[in-house]
Amino acid sequence: MFRRFLVPVVALMLAGAAAYGARSWLERQRPQPAPAAAAVPEVRSFKEILVAASPLHVGTFSRSDSLRWQEWPDIDVPPTYFVRGEDDPEELEGAVVRRDLIEGDPITEGSLIRPGERGFLAAVLEPDMRAITVPVDEASSNAGLIFPGDLVDLILTQTLAATGGAEKDVPRRVSETVLERVRVLAMGRRMEGVLAGDLEANGKGGSVQVRTATLEVTPRGAEVVALVNELGKLSLSLRGLAQDEGRHDALLRCF
């Protein structure tokens, strides 16, 4: 009787072993999937464009420290943007801001008016102000170290005839400040920074001399400048920007 039960059990075990062996063989014959390729990180291309380094207001001059380069995705960069390697930011030195810019705003062709472009002088002038030009030389213009946007005092030097006394035959030379806190609009005829416009190179071709300075004055200040220009020699005295916030000229003497 025991043998009667043993035979089916052994047969069942053999059948299970055969099924397991067949399944293992089929698994080995099945093609193995290829190992997954490592994910390749996406490479993004960037350019550097010119942006405002600080807030710039309408009518102010662009300086070297008011602009900076910033990374920008190289995807359809507008042609009006200034791109590093393609444009020279030095060409914008002395340009005038046409619209208000906040820090990080891209600089475009329409953001600034470059010296010499149509409408440059009108964009520089504040409301109710006038532009007037005076002759200067290397000495009277601080050896070419006065730039557009600087504040200056206007000094008149003139020769007065002797009025009598022991030195009645000796003329007197006097100087006095006639206008204070006058903003410089241009040094030279074409308003292209400090060394541009009405320039004259020496024989070596190395140094240049600015012959004119254009100033921003009130209507009354323009009348004073026109008069003192006929009375004697005019000189510019540079003021520190840190201690002067006003731009309008202060009339010190009426003629």
Side-chain angles (χ1 to χ4, degrees):
M1 187 173 186
F2 175 74
R3 184 176 299 176
R4 185 190 314 171
F5 289 103
L6 182 61
V7 172
V9 172
V10 172
L12 185 60
M13 293 177 61
L14 292 175
Y20 178 78
R23 183 177 179 182
S24 299
W25 182 83
L26 289 175
E27 290 289 341
R28 290 194 298 270
Q29 299 303 315
R30 184 176 302 170
Q32 298 296 322
V40 179
E42 181 183 359
V43 178
R44 301 187 65 183
S45 178
F46 290 89
K47 285 186 177 181
E48 287 186 296
I49 66 167
L50 203 62
V51 301
S54 58
L56 301 175
H57 303 290
V58 174
T60 57
F61 285 94
S62 168
R63 294 177 177 268
S64 58
D65 58 351
S66 60
L67 307 175
R68 63 179 172 85
W69 295 108
Q70 178 173 296
E71 284 192 345
W72 196 268
D74 187 13
I75 303 174
D76 297 331
V77 176
T80 56
Y81 284 16
F82 292 85
V83 180
R84 190 166 196 168
E86 300 176 11
D87 300 289
D88 185 2
E90 292 185 359
E91 296 179 356
L92 299 177
E93 185 77 20
V96 176
V97 180
R98 176 179 283 175
R99 60 180 180 84
D100 287 336
L101 299 171
I102 63 173
E103 182 177 352
D105 270 354
I107 303 300
T108 66
E109 292 286 351
S111 301
L112 307 174
I113 302 180
R114 305 188 201 190
E117 294 181 343
R118 182 184 298 273
F120 175 82
L121 188 57
V124 177
L125 285 172
E126 292 187 352
D128 299 325
M129 300 298 285
R130 305 292 186 266
I132 191 165
T133 300
V134 297
V136 294
D137 55 26
E138 185 174 7
S140 62
S141 63
N142 283 30
L145 298 179
I146 295 178
F147 290 80
D150 287 338
L151 297 178
V152 299
D153 292 346
L154 187 64
I155 300 175
L156 168 66
T157 301
Q158 59 181 326
T159 302
L160 301 180
T163 57
E167 299 179 352
K168 61 180 180 179
D169 295 330
V170 180
R172 295 184 302 119
R173 296 181 65 85
V174 296
S175 295
E176 59 183 324
T177 301
V178 292
L179 292 178
E180 286 186 331
R181 296 192 302 275
V182 178
R183 186 168 66 139
V184 178
L185 299 180
M187 296 298 291
R189 184 176 54 203
R190 298 188 330 198
M191 298 172 291
E192 296 177 355
V194 67
L195 298 179
D198 189 9
L199 304 177
E200 181 179 277
N202 64 5
K204 298 179 181 178
S207 63
V208 291
Q209 180 179 336
V210 177
R211 291 183 173 274
T212 60
T214 303
L215 310 175
E216 180 186 56
V217 297
T218 61
R220 177 56 177 160
E223 296 173 358
V224 171
V225 173
L227 176 59
V228 298
N229 192 31
E230 300 295 328
L231 297 179
K233 180 180 179 181
L234 298 178
S235 301
L236 306 180
S237 178
L238 182 64
R239 300 178 68 99
L241 290 177
Q243 63 187 14
D244 273 296
E245 296 182 357
R247 288 183 181 174
H248 297 172
D249 56 275
L251 184 62
L252 298 184
R253 178 177 175 181
C254 294
F255 292 86

